[in-house]
């Protein structure tokens, strides 16, 4: 029951991570191209002179505008060379106006040695009448890095109705606005991340199901004796050929961990979290003989040199390390466990002998 809850919680966590990632990517995309600071929005035509060297104004392109038309507004700032105008970042509602789009600023050099920075802002109005742009301030950075605020006064925009008293004819509905879609690479990236999370969840789920099946089949207990578990682990490590491939650190780590786990299982000596010197002191209190203690400690020290001191052993020494460990474990099998193994073998031989006698009697 607990494992099932863990699986459900893990799958819910995966779903939440995918959703959070998609929201984050969508926000990043939505703000793409708007990473600079957004000065307070205002409108302009002439400077509120904070400095006589900077002149700013806002003007609208000439034309007759009706409700819903896109109106180009141009912000022009004349300033000394080397000054930098912080771009206006505007979106959404701006007073009575709706900002449809703001373009990147352009800088040109004037004949008198000054520079002019222009930025185009596309706006719309949704009712007829005469409207003023909100007052605004722009920010200019001088050559010393100091920030200068420059006020820009409002301008007037007139919007005419699309309906006249004489006009009684029906007009076609304006086409729908085209909404931009995220770039294709965002969809591909989100798909790959989602697929990786799902595959990882399935692998985790299957692994846990296999462990549960093994636990249910064997009653949650590994029936093998400690030395049998150790020998099986050593056989698997030997089959990987790590030493022959030059992966000495992984090889010595795996083999020495087998020895440590055996000491814990067979002699209840906490070995996985202890240093070699601590294990040596613990072995003195066990029924290990002097030779057995010496062999065990030598094997652990040799592994420490490879794992921590980055000593590179000779290949012949590395290939001999695993058989030495197997011999050390074999010689350290407790006597009661050896006697139990012998009795078990005798019982199996007796059963086989009885079966053989019965078969001979039946055949006779």
């Amino acid at each position: 029951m607990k494992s099932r809850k863990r699986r459900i919680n893990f799958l819910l966590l995966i779903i939440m991570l995918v959703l959070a990632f998609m929201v984050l990517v969508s926000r990043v995309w939505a703000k793409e191209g708007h990473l600079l600071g957004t000065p307070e929005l205002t409108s302009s035509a002439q400077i509120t002179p904070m400095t006589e060297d900077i002149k700013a104004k806002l003007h609208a392109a000439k034309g007759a505008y009706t409700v819903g038309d896109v109106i180009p507004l141009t912000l022009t700032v004349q300033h000394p060379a080397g000054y930098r105008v912080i771009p206006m970042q505007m979106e959404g509602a701006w007073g009575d106006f709706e900002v449809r789009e703001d373009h990147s600023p352009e800088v040109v050099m004037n004949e008198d040695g000054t520079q002019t920075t222009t930025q185009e802002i596309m706006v719309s109005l949704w009712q007829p009448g005469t409207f003023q742009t909100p007052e605004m301030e722009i920010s200019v950075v001088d050559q010393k890095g100091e920030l200068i605020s420059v006020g820009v006064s409002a301008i007037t925009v007139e919007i005419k109705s699309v309906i006249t008293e004489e006009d009684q004819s029906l007009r076609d509905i304006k086409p729908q606005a085209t909404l931009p879609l995220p770039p294709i690479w965002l969809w591909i990236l989100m798909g790959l991340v989602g697929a990786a999370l799902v595959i990882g969840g399935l692998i985790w789920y299957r692994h846990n199901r296999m462990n549960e099946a093994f636990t249910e089949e064997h009653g949650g207990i590994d029936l093998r004796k400690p030395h049998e578990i150790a020998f099986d682990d050593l056989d698997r490590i030997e089959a990987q050929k790590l030493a022959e491939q030059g992966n000495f650190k992984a090889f010595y780590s795996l083999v020495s961990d087998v020895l440590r786990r055996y000491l814990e299982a067979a002699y209840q000596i906490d070995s996985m979290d202890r240093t070699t010197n601590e294990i040596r002191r613990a072995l003195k209190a066990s029924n290990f003989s002097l030779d057995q203690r010496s062999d065990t400690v030598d094997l652990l020290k040799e592994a420490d040199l490879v794992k921590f001191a980055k000593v590179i052993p000779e290949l012949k020494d590395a290939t001999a390390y695993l058989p030495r460990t197997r011999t050390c474990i074999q010689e350290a099998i407790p006597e009661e466990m050896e006697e139990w193994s012998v009795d078990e073998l005798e019982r199996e031989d007796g059963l086989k002998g009885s079966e053989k006698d019965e078969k001979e009697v039946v055949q006779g």
Side-chain angles (χ1 to χ4, degrees), residues 51 102 126 142 193-195 197 205-206 232 278 280 306 321:
T51 171
D102 54 349
W126 300 102
D142 64 14
V193 172
L197 291 174
Y205 176 80
R206 186 168 179 235
D232 290 343
E278 290 173 339
R280 177 177 56 81
V306 177
Y321 184 74

Side-chain angles (χ1 to χ4, degrees), residues 341-359:
S341 300
V342 171
D343 294 340
E344 187 181 68
L345 291 174
E346 289 177 351
R347 286 198 302 272
E348 290 180 355
D349 291 340
L351 289 174
K352 291 180 181 179
S354 300
E355 292 175 357
K356 182 177 181 181
D357 293 340
E358 290 178 1
K359 289 182 181 179

Side-chain angles (χ1 to χ4, degrees), residues 36-39 44 47 51 53-57 75-89 103-108 114-121 136-143 146-150 152:
L36 294 175
T38 303
S44 68
I47 283 185
T51 171
D53 295 333
I54 303 175
K55 298 178 181 180
K57 64 180 180 178
L75 174 64
T76 304
V77 184
Q78 184 176 354
H79 53 81
Y83 283 40
R84 181 170 61 87
V85 178
I86 297 179
M88 301 294 297
Q89 303 292 334
H103 296 170
S104 299
E106 297 181 357
V107 182
V108 296
T114 62
Q115 290 180 324
T116 299
T117 299
T118 57
Q119 181 179 8
E120 194 171 36
I121 305 168
M136 68 164 76
E137 284 188 358
I138 61 172
S139 297
V140 181
V141 181
D142 64 14
Q143 293 176 335
E146 296 181 358
L147 193 65
I148 303 172
S149 294
V150 180
V152 182

Side-chain angles (χ1 to χ4, degrees), residues 151-280:
V152 182
S153 57
I155 62 172
T156 300
V157 177
E158 183 178 357
I159 302 297
K160 296 181 179 180
S161 174
V162 295
I163 301 175
T164 63
E165 294 180 358
E166 298 81 11
D167 188 2
Q168 301 295 325
S169 61
L170 297 177
R171 290 186 172 85
D172 291 336
I173 299 175
K174 290 187 176 182
Q176 294 181 347
T178 302
L179 298 177
L181 294 176
I184 188 64
W185 66 266
L186 284 178
W187 295 107
I188 296 175
L189 179 61
M190 288 190 290
L192 292 175
V193 172
L197 291 174
V198 171
I199 292 174
L202 293 175
I203 293 174
W204 177 88
Y205 176 80
R206 186 168 179 235
H207 175 73
N208 279 272
R209 287 294 300 164
M210 292 175 63
N211 288 342
E212 288 178 3
F214 179 83
T215 301
E216 293 174 0
E217 180 180 354
H218 297 279
I221 300 175
D222 192 341
L223 302 179
R224 295 175 297 169
K225 305 174 188 66
H227 63 274
E228 293 174 340
I229 296 174
F231 292 155
D232 290 343
D233 290 343
L234 290 175
D235 289 340
R236 281 193 291 271
I237 296 170
E238 189 174 23
Q240 295 178 27
K241 304 291 184 182
L242 295 174
E244 289 79 354
Q245 298 171 14
N247 196 350
F248 297 116
K249 183 175 181 179
F251 174 74
Y252 276 85
S253 296
L254 292 173
V255 176
S256 61
D257 283 350
V258 170
L259 180 56
R260 289 172 178 267
R261 286 195 296 270
Y262 172 74
L263 294 176
E264 286 190 350
Y267 291 93
Q268 291 73 52
I269 297 175
D270 187 11
S271 304
M272 296 304 296
D273 298 324
R274 287 185 175 181
T275 65
T276 300
N277 287 332
E278 290 173 339
I279 295 174
R280 177 177 56 81

Side-chain angles (χ1 to χ4, degrees), residues 1-12:
M1 192 69 177
K2 291 183 179 179
S3 60
R4 184 177 300 173
K5 288 183 179 179
R6 287 198 300 269
R7 290 196 300 271
I8 294 174
N9 291 336
F10 182 78
L11 293 175
L12 290 175

